[in-house]
Amino acid sequence: MKQFYLSADIEGTCGIAHWDETEKGKDGYEHFARQMSREVAAACEGILAAGAEGVLVKDAHDSARNINPELLPEAATIFRGWGRDMFVMMSGLTEAHAGVFFTGYHSAAGADGNPLSHTMNTQNNEVRINGIRTSELYINSLTAAMLGVPVVMVTGDQMLCDFIKTQNPNIYTVPVSTGVGNGSVSIHPNLAVRRIRETAEAAAADCLANPDKFTFPLPDHFTVEINFKQHYLARRAACYKDAVQVDSRTVRFDTDAFLEALRFIFFVI
């Protein structure tokens, strides 16, 4: 199958620096929703130019109704809204997809690589898997790895792009911004679109020719730790079967199966 999968977030979109710019109806949102759409379209165009037959795009931010479908190439399909399954931002991904692309992704909760750093929501201080500070990108890359689907390319903030290279240096990246305290320094939005288009074509062509080089490492065991901002959220999370509350704000869950780790994250975060 020569169809790729693309999961799109917004907080790692070029230029974003404030939560208002990510929320429908607030100042700046329309501009950055359009930039998000342009970056997704650019990635799709590059993937198709490399010889892919199609791209399934998952709008994976907030309402999951941010991308303007008219800006996408006709060979792309789009999954809008939420499937309400454990795959969440990866809903619709199957073992048959040729590879996964991520656009507009951001650093993990507790990291200083993006002024909007968070993991799944803003109710936790930090999520860790096997001691690794865990972003949505890491969770979703493990989901791809569980299905045996290569992780091919990531766009977003510089810290996130640097992190994904530590997991597999063959993964292509397009850093579009660098977090600086509560602000962000970004490249020009048109330059971001051009680089994403060019890099996506090279990445997709490379994956079609050499899929094994994009295998994402999947551990044999998973220790998931969530540190919540509010102590009562940890108390609630500890009700999950086999979860252990290790202090007033932290819950731990151990499993050898990533699907069970994903289930824990889905119901507890």
Side-chain angles (χ1 to χ4, degrees):
M1 181 180 184
K2 289 187 177 182
Q3 184 182 63
F4 285 85
Y5 183 95
L6 189 154
S7 178
D9 205 355
I10 200 171
E11 289 90 356
T13 296
C14 184
I16 278 190
H18 194 278
W19 287 109
D20 284 359
E21 296 165 347
T22 73
E23 298 180 29
K24 284 180 179 289
K26 293 194 175 181
D27 287 346
Y29 170 78
E30 292 299 330
H31 168 80
F32 286 103
R34 182 174 185 275
Q35 180 63 19
M36 175 189 184
S37 300
R38 293 177 68 214
E39 292 180 15
V40 171
C44 290
E45 289 165 3
I47 292 168
L48 294 168
E53 296 168 358
V55 186
L56 173 59
V57 174
K58 178 69 189 87
D59 189 324
H61 169 69
D62 196 33
S63 67
R65 294 182 288 111
N66 307 280
I67 298 167
N68 181 349
E70 290 184 351
L71 298 181
L72 303 182
E74 291 184 6
T77 54
I78 183 167
F79 185 162
R80 303 177 73 238
W82 294 109
R84 299 301 179 188
D85 56 81
M86 290 189 296
F87 280 22
V88 193
M89 300 171 78
M90 303 295 282
S91 194
L93 178 68
T94 73
E95 295 92 338
H97 283 104
V100 172
F101 285 66
F102 297 97
T103 62
Y105 268 63
H106 53 82
S107 288
D112 61 358
N114 189 310
L116 308 183
S117 293
H118 67 283
T119 301
M120 305 309 290
N121 57 42
T122 58
Q123 296 182 334
N124 58 78
N125 293 312
E126 194 174 65
V127 178
R128 287 185 178 267
I129 296 179
N130 296 345
I132 296 174
R133 180 182 279 158
T134 298
S135 61
E136 294 161 12
L137 174 65
Y138 188 50
I139 294 169
N140 295 340
S141 295
L142 291 173
T143 299
M146 178 179 67
L147 297 179
V149 181
V151 175
V152 185
M153 181 178 132
V154 173
T155 81
D157 62 67
Q158 182 71 60
M159 179 178 284
L160 189 74
C161 291
D162 291 343
F163 165 78
I164 205 68
K165 289 283 191 180
T166 69
Q167 300 300 301
N168 182 341
N170 295 317
I171 296 172
Y172 287 71
T173 62
V174 182
V176 298
S177 65
T178 300
V180 182
N182 198 36
S184 179
V185 176
S186 67
I187 63 176
H188 193 283
N190 292 343
L191 179 59
V193 168
R194 186 162 67 250
R195 285 182 180 173
I196 290 169
R197 165 64 173 77
E198 293 169 352
T199 305
E201 181 173 357
D206 198 358
C207 181
L208 289 171
N210 309 286
D212 290 347
K213 71 186 285 188
F214 296 99
T215 298
F216 195 82
L218 188 69
D220 295 326
H221 181 82
F222 304 89
T223 297
V224 184
E225 293 181 301
I226 304 171
N227 180 270
F228 292 92
K229 291 183 178 179
Q230 301 293 343
H231 61 85
Y232 52 80
L233 294 176
R235 178 179 171 86
R236 174 183 178 275
C239 295
Y240 190 89
K241 187 177 184 298
D242 296 329
V244 177
Q245 186 167 359
V246 297
D247 61 38
S248 62
R249 297 188 182 192
T250 308
V251 173
R252 186 179 66 234
F253 179 77
D254 281 274
T255 179
D256 290 337
F258 181 67
L259 185 63
E260 294 309 313
L262 198 61
R263 193 188 313 275
F264 172 70
I265 292 167
F266 178 73
F267 283 104
V268 168
I269 296 184

